[in-house]
Amino acid sequence: MPHTPDTNIIEVSNLKKTYTDGGTSTVALDGVSFSVRKGEFLAIMGPSGSGKSTLLHLLGLLDVPTSGSYHLNGRNVTSYSSDELAHIRNEELGFVFQAFNLLPRTTVVENVKLPLYYSDIPEHEWDVRARAAVESVGLGHRMEHGQAELSGGEKQRVAIARALVTDPAVIFADEPTGNLDSKSGKVVMSVIQRLNEERGKTIILITHETSTAEHAERVIRLADGAIESDERVKDRLSATDEFVK
């Protein structure tokens, strides 16, 4: 059944994660419950140790909860096989990390193609898809450049293009402005916000910066592994045209 704008793409209930090391248990998440609508832009905030990175890893299918349930597109993720999970991670979920994670000595367009090598997308589509993704983040003029020739903000926009190339439904952005100056950070957030507003991508942003979270529609604040607040953003920042300059 096709999704409507009000369909929940993510639903988690009483999600808990406990790490055990040498007989010592540490509770990273303690009974977290919320849902995310298809096409929503959600920011998850909290200080170091609040559980936001653990939550990102669970939502991104990079780890499994100790208890509780996680439904993605209406299906409990425990019902997926390991092959199905790998397919979802590669084609239905996109990831943008603070450290960019670009391959050295490789052009922008080749970096963006990387997820396609592990996808079911026909090879004859790879170049067109990669170039379209690079254009979409305003870097068409940098297509054949190596990462050594790029600024930090441009590297992060390449990482966003790489996350986009398989046309995922959900994009996870983990502290995407953490290594950037304020001007570059605003450009990167403008790109991410446009993906939400103009292309309908569901965005889940992990950040400790209030100025970054203000680009989202909704902010969940974590403290000690639990939800402290879950509120709509009253005055959402507007996306700008800066990134196409």
Side-chain angles (χ1 to χ4, degrees):
M1 189 173 79
H3 287 290
T4 66
D6 292 326
T7 300
N8 288 334
I9 193 168
I10 285 172
E11 295 176 325
V12 297
S13 178
N14 202 28
L15 212 59
K16 297 185 180 182
K17 182 66 179 180
T18 302
Y19 294 102
T20 304
D21 183 19
T24 302
S25 294
T26 303
V27 178
L29 281 180
D30 190 14
V32 170
S33 300
F34 65 92
S35 60
V36 182
R37 290 181 295 103
K38 187 179 189 300
E40 190 169 17
F41 189 159
L42 170 67
I44 298 173
M45 296 189 70
S48 179
S50 62
K52 59 186 188 296
S53 293
T54 299
L55 181 56
L56 171 74
H57 289 153
L58 297 181
L59 297 178
L61 305 176
L62 303 172
D63 199 358
V64 294
T66 304
S67 62
S69 66
Y70 173 19
H71 286 77
L72 180 63
N73 278 325
R75 182 173 167 184
N76 194 316
V77 298
T78 59
S79 69
Y80 289 105
S81 68
S82 57
D83 285 346
E84 287 175 318
L85 289 172
H87 173 87
I88 291 168
R89 278 193 298 268
N90 189 57
E91 295 196 27
E92 296 183 33
L93 308 178
F95 297 89
V96 180
F97 297 103
Q98 180 176 341
F100 316 139
N101 297 337
L102 301 182
L103 294 177
R105 298 180 297 281
T106 305
T107 65
V108 165
V109 71
E110 289 300 324
N111 260 293
V112 171
K113 276 185 192 177
L114 191 61
L116 298 172
Y117 288 88
Y118 307 97
S119 74
D120 296 328
I121 296 165
E123 188 173 351
H124 66 84
E125 293 184 20
W126 292 1
D127 197 63
V128 171
R129 277 179 173 262
R131 290 178 182 276
V134 175
E135 291 280 1
S136 74
V137 298
L139 289 177
H141 61 298
R142 296 293 219 180
M143 201 80 69
E144 305 299 337
H145 288 235
Q147 72 155 324
E149 302 172 84
L150 305 177
S151 68
E154 287 173 331
K155 289 177 183 177
Q156 192 60 290
R157 284 152 65 191
V158 174
I160 293 169
R162 183 181 56 197
L164 273 177
V165 75
T166 59
D167 195 26
V170 184
I171 294 176
F172 294 97
D174 188 8
E175 300 280 7
T177 61
N179 284 339
L180 305 178
D181 60 59
S182 60
K183 182 178 179 182
S184 297
K186 287 177 183 177
V187 174
V188 164
M189 287 311 303
S190 170
V191 173
I192 291 173
Q193 189 171 336
R194 283 176 174 273
L195 295 177
N196 171 250
E197 292 176 348
E198 297 176 6
R199 296 182 57 177
K201 298 297 181 186
T202 303
I203 309 290
I204 297 180
L205 168 73
I206 304 295
T207 185
H208 65 276
E209 299 170 336
T210 301
S211 59
T212 300
E214 286 173 346
H215 288 268
E217 303 168 80
R218 173 184 167 205
V219 178
I220 288 178
R221 295 179 187 273
L222 295 180
D224 300 321
I227 293 178
E228 186 177 56
S229 64
D230 182 349
E231 298 175 332
R232 310 295 295 180
V233 174
K234 293 184 177 65
D235 297 307
R236 185 184 186 190
L237 293 178
S238 61
T240 71
D241 291 321
E242 290 179 87
F243 76 95
V244 298
K245 291 182 180 177

